[in-house]
Amino acid sequence: MAKRDFLTLLDCSPAELGALTERAAELKRAHLAGEDHRSLTGRTGALILQLSSTRTRVAFEAGMAQLGGQAIFLSPADTQLGRGEPISDTARVLSEMVDVAMIRTLSHDDLETFAAAADIPVINAMTARYHPCQLLADVQTFEELRGPIGGRRVAFIADGYNKCNSYINAARQWGFELRLACPRGHEPSPATLAAGNAQLLETPEEAVEGAHLVVTDVWSSIGHEEEQAERQQRFAAYQVSETLLDQADDGTLFLHCLPAHRGEEVNATVLDDPRSGAWVAASNRLHSQKALLEFLLLG
Ligand code: CP
């Protein structure tokens, strides 16, 4: 079987992505029913995180264990990567020892370099450019709570950064309408916008009109911490609240990938509003990553 990587959502066909979210829902049902499902017995995964993580790390480690395999967490600080070993050399060596690698690093180019040198499947655990694993969980969650996402209207209210870019890819792959509200100067790049069919609107209120799904993200993503004070001013009008959701479709769903900064991109209460699926999406990170691991390792 030729190796497959998952660096962006465009590495899968729409049919494969549909099968992945269906499989994630099956794995969730089996997990909640207490069924043992060990499809990856004897398989090992390496998890390289150059940036902090809770959900992605635990989903990968717990997911590998639940499928009968095991995961090895590699902190760059404790490996030779932290002392300058080329990432392509690390990829060649790990390819001889483990069956899959998952990497979180700011540089998408580094991820691509690793994947090109590796003989094993490589998963993007988030870069500055894309966060495709989050989208698998978000789509699974929408479909679990509201039905098929194809043809629906989605509003993304935040920075035109990695999650926004993955929503632009997702709109292509799942066939939904995407309306963006990004503060001026924080829009996705013209090339990214041109490659998708998202509509850029002036205000969050315009973007959420009739939206079946409303999504936000932190104002200062990993890598932008030093801009925190400036962003708090620029993004102030972009906070998601119950009042903003009232302007969306009556059956709208709200998603946030977490961790959240209450008082910034969300007010203190909206994550616990009945329209919020943020906690379901967080739990679905486990099931969607298990489905992805099966897809890449078993075909
Ligand atoms: N949403 C997300 O990727 O969470 P972590 O940063 O905790 O992995």
Side-chain angles (χ1 to χ4, degrees):
M1 187 175 95
K3 81 137 176 167
R4 296 280 300 268
D5 297 321
F6 187 71
L7 308 189
T8 82
L9 291 170
L10 304 183
D11 286 330
C12 291
S13 68
E16 286 170 336
L17 290 172
L20 266 174
T21 43
E22 265 178 42
R23 181 66 183 148
E26 277 172 24
L27 287 169
K28 180 174 187 172
R29 277 192 292 277
H31 181 73
L32 296 178
E35 290 168 20
D36 212 13
H37 179 73
R38 295 176 179 263
S39 53
L40 298 185
T41 299
R43 307 294 183 107
T44 306
L47 176 60
I48 302 171
L49 297 175
Q50 295 189 318
L51 306 160
S52 53
S53 166
T54 299
R55 282 143 287 268
T56 309
R57 175 177 176 175
V58 175
F60 186 76
E61 293 193 13
M64 280 300 286
Q66 288 168 18
L67 293 173
Q70 62 176 319
I72 302 170
F73 170 61
L74 298 169
S75 155
D78 303 327
T79 62
Q80 300 295 0
L81 274 174
R83 295 181 61 237
E85 180 168 16
I87 198 160
S88 49
D89 290 357
T90 304
R92 287 178 64 174
V93 173
L94 290 183
S95 295
E96 301 297 323
M97 299 184 182
V98 301
D99 302 288
V100 59
M102 187 165 195
I103 307 176
R104 173 171 287 194
T105 177
L106 268 186
S107 164
H108 196 81
D109 291 346
D110 280 355
L111 174 75
E112 288 180 339
T113 300
F114 186 100
D119 293 330
I120 52 174
V122 177
I123 299 172
N124 179 356
M126 198 185 83
T127 64
R129 221 179 293 164
Y130 295 108
H131 195 0
C133 288
Q134 185 63 51
L135 266 290
L136 292 182
D138 282 13
V139 171
Q140 181 192 345
T141 304
F142 185 88
E143 298 202 328
E144 179 182 326
L145 300 175
R146 297 288 191 272
I149 198 165
R152 303 294 190 102
R153 178 178 287 187
V154 177
F156 183 90
I157 316 293
D159 195 0
Y161 193 53
N162 50 11
K163 204 168 82 172
C164 182
N165 294 340
S166 283
Y167 262 92
I168 291 171
N169 283 346
R172 271 175 67 178
Q173 296 290 69
W174 274 280
F176 57 78
E177 180 190 354
L178 181 60
R179 294 157 68 96
L180 308 174
C182 308
R184 205 161 291 250
H186 295 274
E187 300 91 350
S189 73
T192 306
L193 272 174
N197 54 2
Q199 197 184 350
L200 196 55
L201 292 140
E202 285 293 320
T203 65
E205 289 74 16
E206 282 176 84
V208 301
E209 199 183 311
H212 304 105
L213 172 62
V214 176
V215 185
T216 189
D217 197 1
V218 293
W219 288 349
S220 298
S221 297
I222 294 171
H224 291 142
E225 291 83 356
E226 74 288 354
E227 298 171 22
Q228 174 81 7
E230 182 202 335
R231 282 173 175 249
Q232 288 204 349
Q233 290 185 344
R234 281 174 172 258
F235 285 62
Y238 290 75
Q239 185 182 82
V240 176
S241 63
E242 289 85 341
T243 311
L244 186 67
L245 295 187
D246 289 344
Q247 297 173 57
D249 183 77
D250 285 347
T252 200
L253 183 73
F254 169 60
L255 290 179
H256 186 310
C257 62
L258 306 176
H261 295 219
R262 291 172 179 80
E264 294 184 17
E265 76 279 1
V266 283
N267 69 3
T269 50
V270 74
L271 285 168
D272 294 309
D273 185 271
R275 292 167 288 187
S276 166
W279 306 106
V280 179
S283 82
N284 283 342
R285 292 297 307 274
L286 172 66
H287 312 295
S288 54
Q289 274 178 222
K290 283 167 72 175
L292 178 62
L293 286 164
E294 278 193 340
F295 170 71
L296 294 175
L297 288 171
L298 304 177

